[in-house]
Amino acid sequence: MSATELPPALAEIRDDFLAITKQERLQLLLEFSRDLPALPERLADHPELLERVEECQSPVFIITEVDEAGHVHLHATAPQEAPTTRGFASILAQGLDGLTVDDFFAVPDDFPFELGLTEAVSPLRLRGMVGMIGRAKRQVRAAIADS
Amino acid sequence: MSVARDDSPAFAGYAHPERLVSTEWLAEHLGDEGLVVVESDEDVLLYETGHIPGAVKVDWHTELNDPVTRDYVDGAGFAKLVGGKGISRDSTVVIYGDKTNWWAAYALWVFTLFGHEDVRLLDGGRAKWEAEGREYTTEPTTREAVDYPVVERDDSAVRAFKEDVLAHFGNPLIDVRSPEEYSGERTTAPAYPEESALRAGHIPTAQSVPWGKAVAENGTFKPVGELDAIYRDGAGLQAGDDVIAYCRIGERSSHTWFVLTHLLGFEGVRNYDGSWTEWGSAVRVPIVTGAEPGEAPVK
């Protein structure tokens, strides 16, 4: 697949996945699932601020915020027994963090299919991650409209 | 059967108690010659986070399905898959998984399509093993590959296709989805919107018996008396009935297929794996909306 222009952090994640074997990619996704950043306290205490991503089979909740400097931050939480979903959320939380709004919107919705996980994880499951990106973009659109 | 069965009194009332093992039994028999433990989950990474020692993983989506055609692997594909995991034709296979064994039951049903004789479910699945604090390992299981014979898949006995369902009217159908999917309020399971259909509702005359009714709070199957009350008294199934069960893609109905076939002893139960994702998108098949089963179409 021809490489899309991705923001540096996300491009690095993609390149890391593509540099290893299919089986190793599952392991890397597992590492991402372990590294899903914890919610900041102000959100952890207010789960109602997070939105459920219906496209995902497991309960995953995300909130995407735009800070005063115009940078995007995605926070997510998903249960330990849903490591695949946690891994997807973690890639997004780490790969999109701090982007400007414009760079954030430039990330293609279907970029998960560039990670080389299609065979190892299945297209159906990857669609859950596509759904997360769609949800995040909607949240950012709403955040901008409110500001 | 190559490994002794679990004689737990809890299973005694079931028609085929040899199809279940308890967590206690499995803990005692881990490592027995002839036993292969298989984990089959919805989440493709869950096994990697920790699994029962010695268990191999079989993934429903990437391994049991054909990657191109909407169908299961063929005889050669199945032989390669399970032989590669060290499963012989005479192995005792015990399957467990997440989501109260949805996917484990699905895998068991696929093993049945290939006539694998001794395949059992771990009652209570992964959640019960975990709740009891039993051993997990992240150590990858390496089993030597063995030759598994190429056995042609037999779709006639336990699998139904759309045409079979159309010819089945007048005989019992069981819809195991959520009440909202059955009535047509929604086309997908609450958390599965990507597996959608174009129309909502249920197949005419199907009784609504959500799959989870067969499961007790601790994740194990309910005792036979309670299952009788649900399926015989409630849904009206009678001895000798030919039954077709369906859900959305055939995994939850595999669970009900297991209950009807192995726990209650119905012999003519088939799983319609095309299920609602096929029926709800097919042209000119009859559909009923609302909470009532509805009438069979005039033939």
Side-chain angles (χ1 to χ4, degrees):
Chain A
M1 189 182 294
S2 66
T4 315
E5 201 62 43
L6 290 178
L10 206 53
E12 195 182 322
I13 291 172
R14 175 193 59 195
D15 295 346
D16 286 348
F17 271 102
L18 294 181
I20 53 181
T21 67
K22 204 173 86 176
Q23 190 51 40
E24 289 168 340
R25 287 174 196 167
L26 276 185
Q27 284 302 325
L28 182 56
L29 185 60
L30 186 61
E31 282 169 33
F32 271 101
S33 81
R34 295 198 184 108
D35 295 343
L36 175 63
L39 291 177
E41 241 170 69
R42 66 191 163 83
L43 292 174
D45 296 340
H46 292 280
E48 73 281 0
L49 293 175
L50 282 80
E51 192 180 4
R52 174 158 185 167
V53 181
E54 294 287 344
E55 287 82 357
C56 280
Q57 300 190 340
S58 305
V60 53
F61 296 85
I62 67 171
I63 181 169
T64 321
E65 300 174 317
V66 181
D67 66 20
E68 285 173 5
H71 294 136
V72 172
H73 304 281
L74 183 151
H75 306 284
T77 176
Q80 292 292 342
E81 63 269 20
T84 303
T85 301
R86 285 179 65 86
F88 291 164
S90 174
I91 289 172
L92 295 180
Q94 299 183 49
L96 301 175
D97 192 64
L99 291 182
T100 64
V101 169
D102 286 347
D103 287 347
F104 171 75
F105 279 120
V107 174
D109 287 6
D110 59 357
F111 113 88
F113 288 93
E114 294 184 30
L115 293 171
L117 285 167
T118 312
E119 260 183 74
V121 167
S122 93
L124 189 70
R125 288 169 170 139
L126 274 174
R127 260 179 259 159
M129 190 173 178
V130 173
M132 282 185 214
I133 298 175
R135 186 66 51 130
K137 286 187 176 173
R138 232 190 49 213
Q139 290 176 339
V140 170
R141 259 180 239 117
I144 296 171
D146 286 346
S147 62
Chain B
M1 299 209 171
S2 45
V3 176
R5 55 189 259 184
D6 182 350
D7 289 322
S8 309
F11 302 154
Y14 297 135
H16 299 289
E18 72 279 8
R19 292 294 178 174
L20 283 178
V21 303
S22 60
T23 48
E24 294 81 9
W25 182 95
L26 186 58
E28 271 171 36
H29 285 81
L30 283 182
D32 275 13
E33 173 127 15
L35 173 71
V36 184
V37 182
V38 170
E39 174 161 345
S40 203
D41 296 317
E42 175 170 295
D43 193 299
V44 69
L45 273 180
L46 195 54
Y47 170 90
E48 278 77 5
T49 66
H51 53 82
I52 296 178
V56 295
K57 164 183 164 181
V58 171
D59 184 60
W60 63 282
H61 214 278
T62 59
E63 294 185 315
L64 293 177
N65 281 281
D66 183 277
V68 180
T69 308
R70 182 173 174 188
D71 200 357
Y72 303 103
V73 291
D74 61 10
F78 186 75
K80 185 162 174 261
L81 172 70
V82 301
K85 294 179 191 290
I87 297 171
S88 306
R89 188 67 173 164
D90 61 357
S91 294
T92 295
V93 176
V94 170
I95 312 182
Y96 72 99
D98 61 356
K99 304 260 171 177
T100 325
N101 278 338
W102 276 17
W103 309 94
Y106 194 19
L108 183 145
W109 178 76
V110 174
F111 271 73
T112 306
L113 291 175
F114 292 97
H116 191 97
E117 196 178 314
D118 189 1
V119 55
R120 318 178 188 180
L121 274 189
L122 174 66
D123 198 22
R126 195 181 150 98
K128 185 159 190 281
W129 185 271
E130 199 163 302
E132 292 167 350
R134 296 183 187 274
E135 193 183 353
Y136 270 141
T137 179
T138 52
E139 198 66 32
T141 300
T142 46
R143 293 182 59 85
E144 207 170 313
V146 295
D147 273 328
Y148 193 94
V150 175
V151 181
E152 204 181 324
R153 202 182 63 223
D154 178 3
D155 291 332
S156 65
V158 299
R159 187 178 186 193
F161 297 98
K162 183 172 119 241
E163 297 70 26
D164 299 322
V165 178
L166 286 165
H168 183 78
F169 286 119
N171 296 292
L173 281 155
I174 302 287
D175 184 320
V176 315
R177 299 172 300 158
S178 61
E180 296 76 23
E181 293 169 274
Y182 178 85
S183 67
E185 284 165 55
R186 59 191 313 159
T187 56
T188 60
Y192 298 73
E194 75 274 28
E195 289 167 23
S196 191
L198 294 173
R199 295 299 161 103
H202 56 267
I203 301 176
T205 73
Q207 294 284 329
S208 170
V209 187
W211 71 279
K213 287 201 172 179
V215 177
E217 246 173 59
N218 69 353
T220 60
F221 289 108
K222 286 180 179 169
V224 72
E226 291 180 38
L227 295 177
D228 276 336
I230 294 163
Y231 294 98
R232 293 187 210 268
D233 308 340
L237 298 185
Q238 295 175 4
D241 274 349
D242 285 328
V243 185
I244 292 179
Y246 72 94
C247 59
R248 173 179 47 96
I249 57 167
E251 89 302 5
R252 285 174 288 179
S253 44
S254 299
H255 190 274
T256 297
W257 169 84
F258 182 89
V259 171
L260 295 177
T261 301
H262 292 314
L263 304 187
L264 292 180
F266 287 91
E267 284 173 8
V269 186
R270 285 176 291 169
N271 178 25
Y272 169 38
D273 59 276
S275 276
W276 197 255
T277 51
E278 177 180 49
W279 194 273
S281 292
V283 176
R284 295 185 80 179
V285 296
I287 290 174
V288 172
T289 55
E292 295 302 319
E295 299 295 321
V298 181
K299 284 190 188 171

